[in-house]
């Protein structure tokens, strides 16, 4: 993106606009306010100059509607007066509302953000506990499955539909939304650590750990899951707490 376009993006992030933007690996992500009426949202998007959407050829924008329940007319008007008129390449239509997601899918719109190209980096180490360690840079998307006898480290999110089966331990630095099975080949001295825990179940060795979003206090928090006396235990856990660091 050139300097002029980036300046335009900064200008429209004024407080009264209530549209937030985030730079991503695929372009720009727009967070659209839920509080505005549909007509107000369309008017707000209409004033953004077309030049603000100009990105490199291989990039685009995603539109995040948060929890808004969109109508068919809103989608139609957005396509006509915003997307097509300004020649915007929309790579994803995002929402936390199930009915809205279904509406997007029925309209043939993509509801998943483009994933980073995941680069696997083999690690050479004479320590037998680290043999076969696999590191992934970026998020794992739906349909991506990893099976290994060693440990797995993901520097990103494990999205719904993605799966890891590891003989060792598993660390997901971002959101844990997919399926994880640590100790998948018999070991029970393993663990699962996640930067943000948002999955209903995790398997360690032969034990299955269930989590209910409504009753699990560690939901959407960093967690450590281990086996203690053969029982899965999940607890909030950061790598370091301020009080643990001794000067």
């Amino acid at each position: 993106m050139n300097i002029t376009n980036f300046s335009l993006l900064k200008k429209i992030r004024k407080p009264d606009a209530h549209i937030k933007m985030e730079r991503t690996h695929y372009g720009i992500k727009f967070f659209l306010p839920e509080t505005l009426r549909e007509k107000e949202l369309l008017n707000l998007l209409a004033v953004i100059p077309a030049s603000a959407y100009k990105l490199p050829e291989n990039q685009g924008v995603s539109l995040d509607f948060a929890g808004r329940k969109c109508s068919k007319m809103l989608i139609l008007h957005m396509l006509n007066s915003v997307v097509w008129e300004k020649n915007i390449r929309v790579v994803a239509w995002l929402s936390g509302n199930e009915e809205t997601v279904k509406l997007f899918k029925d309209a043939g719109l993509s509801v998943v953000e483009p994933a980073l190209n995941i680069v696997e980096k083999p690690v050479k180490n004479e320590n037998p506990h680290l043999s076969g360690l696999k590191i992934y840079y970026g998020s794992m998307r739906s349909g991506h499955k990893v099976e290994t006898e060693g440990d797995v480290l993901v520097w990103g999110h494990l999205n719904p539909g993605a799966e890891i089966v590891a003989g060792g331990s598993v660390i997901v630095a971002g959101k844990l939304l997919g399926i994880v099975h640590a100790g998948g080949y018999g070991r029970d001295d393993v663990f699962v650590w996640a930067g943000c825990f948002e999955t209903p179940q995790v398997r360690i060795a032969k034990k299955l750990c269930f989590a209910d979003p409504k009753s699990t206090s560690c939901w959407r928090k960093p967690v450590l899951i281990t086996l203690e006396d053969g029982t899965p235990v999940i607890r909030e856990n950061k790598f370091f707490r301020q009080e643990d660091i001794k000067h």
Side-chain angles (χ1 to χ4, degrees):
M1 178 185 298
N2 60 44
I3 296 176
T4 303
N5 288 339
F6 195 74
S7 298
L8 285 169
L9 286 173
K10 282 188 173 181
K11 286 180 181 178
I12 60 176
R13 290 188 66 177
K14 54 187 180 181
D16 59 331
H18 299 297
I19 288 183
K20 295 181 181 179
M21 278 167 285
E22 178 181 281
R23 198 73 169 89
T24 69
H25 62 277
Y26 57 77
I28 300 288
K29 184 174 183 179
F30 285 80
F31 297 88
L32 307 180
E34 295 180 67
T35 53
L36 294 180
R37 291 177 298 176
E38 292 188 353
K39 185 176 180 180
E40 292 173 332
L41 178 60
L42 289 168
N43 290 338
L44 188 59
L45 288 168
V47 301
I48 300 177
S51 57
Y53 298 103
K54 288 185 178 179
L55 297 166
E57 188 175 344
N58 63 336
Q59 294 190 357
V61 304
S62 63
L63 303 174
D64 192 332
F65 292 80
R68 175 189 290 272
K69 182 179 178 180
C70 296
S71 68
K72 293 181 180 180
M73 290 304 299
L74 174 62
I75 304 306
L76 183 60
H77 285 313
M78 285 198 68
L79 288 170
N80 281 325
S81 62
V82 181
V83 178
W84 295 333
E85 184 174 317
K86 297 179 184 292
N87 194 26
I88 303 170
R89 179 172 178 258
V90 180
V91 296
W93 297 68
L94 310 173
S95 174
N97 183 288
E98 292 184 5
E99 292 183 36
T100 297
V101 172
K102 184 178 184 304
L103 182 64
F104 292 158
K105 288 181 177 179
D106 290 344
L109 304 172
S110 173
V111 296
V112 180
E113 292 180 85
L116 273 171
N117 291 327
I118 299 175
V119 180
E120 183 177 330
K121 182 180 178 181
V123 177
K124 294 182 179 180
N125 197 303
E126 296 180 357
N127 186 332
H129 295 292
L130 291 180
S131 62
L133 170 64
K134 291 190 175 183
I135 303 177
Y136 294 87
Y137 295 96
S139 298
M140 293 176 58
R141 59 184 174 180
S142 177
H144 191 158
K145 183 176 181 179
V146 172
E147 294 185 68
T148 177
E149 294 182 357
D151 304 308
V152 176
L153 170 58
V154 179
W155 286 112
H157 306 313
L158 186 71
N159 287 311
E163 182 177 357
I164 295 174
V165 178
S169 299
V170 176
I171 295 177
V172 178
K175 294 181 179 181
L176 174 52
L177 299 158
I179 300 172
V180 167
H181 186 177
Y185 304 100
R187 285 178 54 186
D188 58 8
D189 60 334
V190 297
F191 65 86
V192 173
W193 188 90
C196 184
F197 183 71
E198 295 185 53
T199 187
Q201 60 176 266
V202 169
R203 185 181 291 275
I204 297 185
K206 296 181 179 180
K207 300 294 183 178
L208 194 59
C209 175
F210 290 98
D212 183 351
K214 296 180 180 179
S215 60
T216 303
S217 61
C218 297
W219 193 259
R220 291 183 176 172
K221 296 180 180 178
V223 301
L224 176 67
I225 306 172
T226 56
L227 279 183
E228 298 181 13
D229 296 325
T231 301
V233 176
I234 176 173
R235 57 171 63 88
E236 184 177 356
N237 184 280
K238 296 180 180 179
F239 278 116
F240 292 103
R241 295 177 303 175
Q242 189 64 36
E243 56 267 31
D244 292 335
I245 302 176
K246 297 181 180 179
H247 299 282

